[in-house]
Amino acid sequence: MPKPSEPHRQVTAVLDAARRRLGPDGATEAALLLRHLLGVSRAWLHTWPEHMLTPEQAGRYEALVERRAGGEPLAYITGHREFWSLDLAVTPATLIPRPDTETLVEQCLARLPAETAVTVADLGTGSGAVALAIAHERPVCRVVATDLSEAALAVAAGNARRLGIDNVEFLHGRWFEPLTARRFALIASNPPYIPEEDRHLHEGDLPFEPRSALVAADHGLADLKAIVAGAPVHLEPGGWLLLEHGYDQGEAVRRMMSDTGFAQVETFPDLEERDRVTAGRLTATR
Ligand code: GLN
């Protein structure tokens, strides 16, 4: 507990200290953390640099800055991340949505005509990012989202409620398992695809994220393979499968899809021009 004699501290002073603690890119994060703590806008911070924090607020702010300095992802500290202009709640039970995954959403939407009511599946939905972005853009479609993690599904369902998106259904289970015999016009997934030995797992936000959402056996290809293999019996004739994958897995995923009978197999780049999403179409169903 702060002692009564502790002085109140100005917004500018605490921001300066936080910036120094957080290093080169610290300015934006210092401001974001303070906005999160005080529940204020960016404009408010600029307008009231001389506002005094109570000793209690200053102490809580310092604790947030320390968590960030210890490597904890900003999105887990604030509990939020924006994806496709949707404000999503995220927790350590979910992967933090990446801007790269907007490529997956774009390619899905390009295959879903605006006024055509079809059903779409999102496998391994996590925070619900992909399912909610599609459902939001295609209100006439029904989206079914699955996840093996009940904790993640609770976050995703909470996001749907809070955003008022009511055309998504959340089902618990591994990949296709909870879909029983249902077929879809389009199946999307951003499964785990990082190889166990990848050094990126020790960098940035990744050490804090659920390993089950990141890492797959077989050089990162195990879950991609399982989804390609299981997709044909869950697709309608002419249905599409779209998968996010690693920048160096495009060729492997194209081969899997072609070998499984998919046509129009094509890979699309992410924002940094790396292979990121492969799509394929099933012309004849089984
Ligand atoms: N694209 C993420 C990363 O490399 C991984 C996401 C995933 O495994 N699906 O950080």
Side-chain angles (χ1 to χ4, degrees):
M1 279 301 281
K3 296 184 264 335
S5 60
E6 260 182 76
H8 284 53
R9 294 183 63 205
Q10 270 190 352
V11 159
T12 40
V14 297
L15 279 177
D16 278 342
R19 251 175 237 147
R20 281 195 300 276
R21 182 74 181 99
L22 295 177
D25 300 325
T28 316
E29 297 198 345
L32 264 168
L33 287 172
L34 191 54
R35 285 177 49 196
H36 168 67
L37 178 82
L38 301 177
V40 298
S41 66
R42 191 195 311 249
W44 189 97
L45 273 196
H46 285 298
T47 314
W48 307 103
E50 287 162 29
H51 174 84
M52 291 293 189
L53 269 63
T54 66
E56 196 264 337
Q57 286 173 326
R60 277 171 44 210
Y61 182 58
E62 220 169 283
L64 295 181
V65 171
E66 277 314 302
R67 283 170 64 186
R68 182 63 191 128
E72 198 172 330
L74 195 64
Y76 289 159
I77 300 175
T78 63
H80 290 267
R81 175 55 45 96
E82 194 178 295
F83 178 82
W84 201 268
S85 303
L86 301 173
D87 174 42
L88 298 178
V90 295
T91 76
T94 68
L95 191 79
I96 300 164
R98 314 281 203 266
D100 289 340
T101 302
E102 299 200 341
T103 299
L104 178 60
V105 174
E106 278 166 18
Q107 292 302 330
C108 291
L109 294 176
R111 289 162 180 76
L112 294 168
E115 298 307 326
T116 315
V118 296
T119 53
V120 173
D122 171 29
L123 310 181
T125 196
S127 64
V130 171
L132 292 168
I134 293 174
H136 178 69
E137 295 291 331
R138 295 289 181 269
V140 296
C141 290
R142 287 213 58 83
V143 181
V144 178
T146 73
D147 209 288
L148 187 56
S149 159
E150 285 189 271
L153 276 183
V155 174
N159 279 328
R161 253 193 319 276
R162 206 168 26 80
L163 294 165
I165 298 174
D166 59 9
N167 50 332
V168 188
E169 181 187 346
F170 296 96
L171 300 177
H172 176 231
R174 188 170 193 80
W175 308 137
F176 302 96
E177 207 177 73
L179 302 179
T180 58
R182 289 165 83 171
R183 288 185 186 262
F184 299 83
L186 185 149
I187 296 172
S189 183
N190 173 18
Y193 53 71
I194 301 180
E196 272 146 327
E197 59 283 357
D198 195 314
R199 63 182 166 79
H200 290 108
L201 291 168
H202 309 289
E203 293 171 8
D205 290 349
L206 276 71
F208 290 84
E209 294 182 291
R211 221 181 135 75
S212 59
L214 292 171
V215 178
D218 191 7
H219 308 290
L221 296 172
D223 291 298
L224 290 162
K225 277 185 187 163
I227 294 170
V228 172
V233 297
H234 290 288
L235 282 171
E236 294 164 1
W240 288 95
L241 174 63
L242 289 102
L243 294 173
E244 180 172 320
H245 52 71
Y247 70 94
D248 55 356
Q249 294 169 334
E251 198 187 329
V253 175
R254 286 195 299 276
R255 183 158 342 109
M256 282 176 212
M257 284 199 192
S258 304
D259 289 352
T260 312
F262 284 88
Q264 298 175 46
V265 175
E266 195 179 343
T267 299
F268 300 90
D270 62 21
L271 302 163
E272 293 179 49
E273 297 300 321
R274 300 166 299 202
D275 280 1
R276 186 59 63 191
V277 170
T278 295
R281 189 172 202 185
L282 201 72
T283 41
T285 55
R286 295 177 227 172

